[in-house]
DNA sequence: ATAATATTGTGGAAATAATCACAAACTCGC
DNA sequence: GCGAGTTTGTGATTATTTCCACAATATTAT
């Protein structure tokens, strides 16, 4: 295995494999194959084998893959065997839903800090968190970690993103429905349900109801 | 323009273009170019022109594109010049956040029905909606439309998806962190923040905090 | 009018990604 | 221990996607 750079498209599939494997593990499945895993994520078996071969040889001929071992490998590759600190910015409906969500910890993340700019919210309790002032980001060790989930209105998102970049944030999960301009060393992933709906609407036939 | 099938990868970019164009429109920008739009969505100008050329000729040499006209074309292509009825299933934190979200209507969608299986929630009011019993899906005209946002726990998602398919649903926006198996004529889009975070974690260097 | 500048739409080249197909290696039943 | 059946990892092939480059056309300046 040379130290060649792994294509983005492959990296982006790994979390999908990992999620499916963890689902199998929950059901006490101990072994799988590229065929089996592929059928569960709608990806060809050859594709899965090629993808995994970028990182090593994790399977055994005739048998397939040990679920637990492959999970461990993928977690290592994705760097989610540790737990990353993530901040939530914008404690409206979405921010609150995220802080109440229990699905982060066993997949490599935990929310450590929450921010807002609404004086009525700053200082108040949200579950186990005390909402901090977004203006304090950058002051002291207010913002732990390098990852942020951004849940502010679209109009405020770019401005805050700029500030986050200044403060060393390297990964932004952006819920605001706008594109963010950031330096090349900062990653952004977008979550916009409307984009998802529109991608599907293209394929709908006939009338609405 | 022959009636060739448009690659999925192109369709999936159109909503991103549309979102950026609508953002420009909000700022009273009347004209743009492939260059300009490209810089705003981080996609090459050539790519944008090639994508659009699949559907017609919307630009003018020397000038570029009229924002309003291009929006109208994209809305037509994506079939979001009309408004689609969408149901929400699972009225927990996420379901509630979605019903309270104001960003659907002007992008082609509206929530018409909400469902849950919790007796304590069925019949109760959630904003302007009365939560219906998920068991009633399929009975009468309880479920309008062909699109659903699925916000139930992972363990329940596939079962409900099966039922939705039976009832003629053709598009599922799935918030549950599991892959759904559906017939080829049914579309699924996935929203899982952890997948987004994991895709970014791969590229992070150094330690957590 | 003319030159300088801007921008589109597209054919073709280049780059990237997906698929095929098979030797090698393992399992299992008898 | 042998044959039948599985499944991996990968080189080669095919398919898809992206990028380049430029003629054609429009705008703007002078
Ligand atoms: N709620 C949903 O289901 C949903 C769906 C799709 C997209 N979104 C997007 O997610 C984002 C958040 O949505 P929401 O429904 O939670 O909105 P919301 O209005 O309920 O909450 C926004 C929060 O951000 C805070 N805020 C505003 N400006 C800020 C600033 N400059 N700095 C820090 N905090 C600031 C507000 O005080 C508020 O608490 C929005 O961009 C929205 O478009 C939400
Ligand atoms: N809240 C978040 O921020 C978040 C983040 C990521 C993913 N998700 C996922 O989104 C989904 C919903 O999350 P949530 O936080 O709203 O969960 P939640 O537990 O708050 O709500 C789930 C709702 O679904 C209902 N439900 C359960 N089984 C049902 C069934 N068979 N039929 C109909 N309704 C049923 C429950 O009564 C409840 O109202 C989950 O799959 C969760 O993993 C949520």
């Amino acid at each position: 295995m040379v130290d060649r750079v792994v294509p983005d498209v492959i990296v982006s599939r790994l979390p999908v494999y990992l999620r499916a494997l963890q689902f199998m593990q929950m059901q006490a499945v101990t072994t799988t194959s590229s065929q089996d895993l592929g059928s569960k994520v709608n990806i060809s078996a050859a594709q899965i084998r090629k993808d995994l071969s970028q990182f090593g040889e994790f399977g055994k001929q005739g048998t397939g893959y040990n679920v637990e071992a492959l999970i461990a490998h993928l977690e290592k590759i994705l760097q989610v065997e540790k737990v990353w600190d993530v901040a939530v910015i914008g404690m409206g409906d979405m921010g609150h839903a995220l802080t109440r969500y229990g699905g982060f910890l066993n997949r490599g993340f935990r929310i450590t800090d929450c921010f807002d700019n609404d004086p009525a919210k700053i200082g108040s309790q949200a579950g186990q968190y005390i909402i901090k002032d977004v203006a304090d980001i950058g002051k002291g060790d207010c913002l732990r970690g390098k990852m942020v989930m951004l849940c502010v209105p679209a109009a405020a998102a770019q401005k805050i993103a700029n500030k986050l970049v200044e403060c060393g944030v390297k990964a932004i999960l952006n819920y605001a429905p706008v594109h963010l301009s950031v330096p090349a060393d900062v990653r952004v992933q977008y979550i916009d349900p409307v984009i998802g709906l529109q991608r599907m609407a293209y394929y709908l036939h006939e009338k609405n109801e």
Side-chain angles (χ1 to χ4, degrees), chain A residues 83-130:
Chain A
V83 175
W84 295 91
D85 291 346
V86 185
V88 174
I89 305 189
M91 289 296 288
D93 289 327
M94 188 55 70
H96 272 101
L98 289 171
T99 60
R100 289 162 51 83
Y101 182 54
F104 289 115
L105 193 56
N106 60 358
R107 295 172 72 194
F109 306 93
R110 76 171 169 201
I111 294 173
T112 50
D113 302 288
C114 301
F115 298 90
D116 208 294
N117 76 337
D118 182 349
K121 290 183 179 170
I122 295 166
S124 75
Q125 196 101 16
Q128 62 195 287
Y129 306 98
I130 290 176

Side-chain angles (χ1 to χ4, degrees), chain A residues 8 145-150 157-158 160-174 179-190:
Chain A
D8 220 77
K146 294 197 159 71
M147 310 188 89
V148 163
M149 296 192 274
L150 189 55
Q158 182 63 60
I160 296 190
N162 295 343
K163 188 162 181 189
L164 294 172
V165 168
E166 260 179 57
C167 297
V169 168
K170 295 293 179 205
I172 299 174
L173 185 67
N174 180 31
H179 178 86
L180 297 181
S181 295
V182 297
D185 67 324
V186 179
R187 300 263 152 187
V188 182
Q189 289 272 310
Y190 296 87

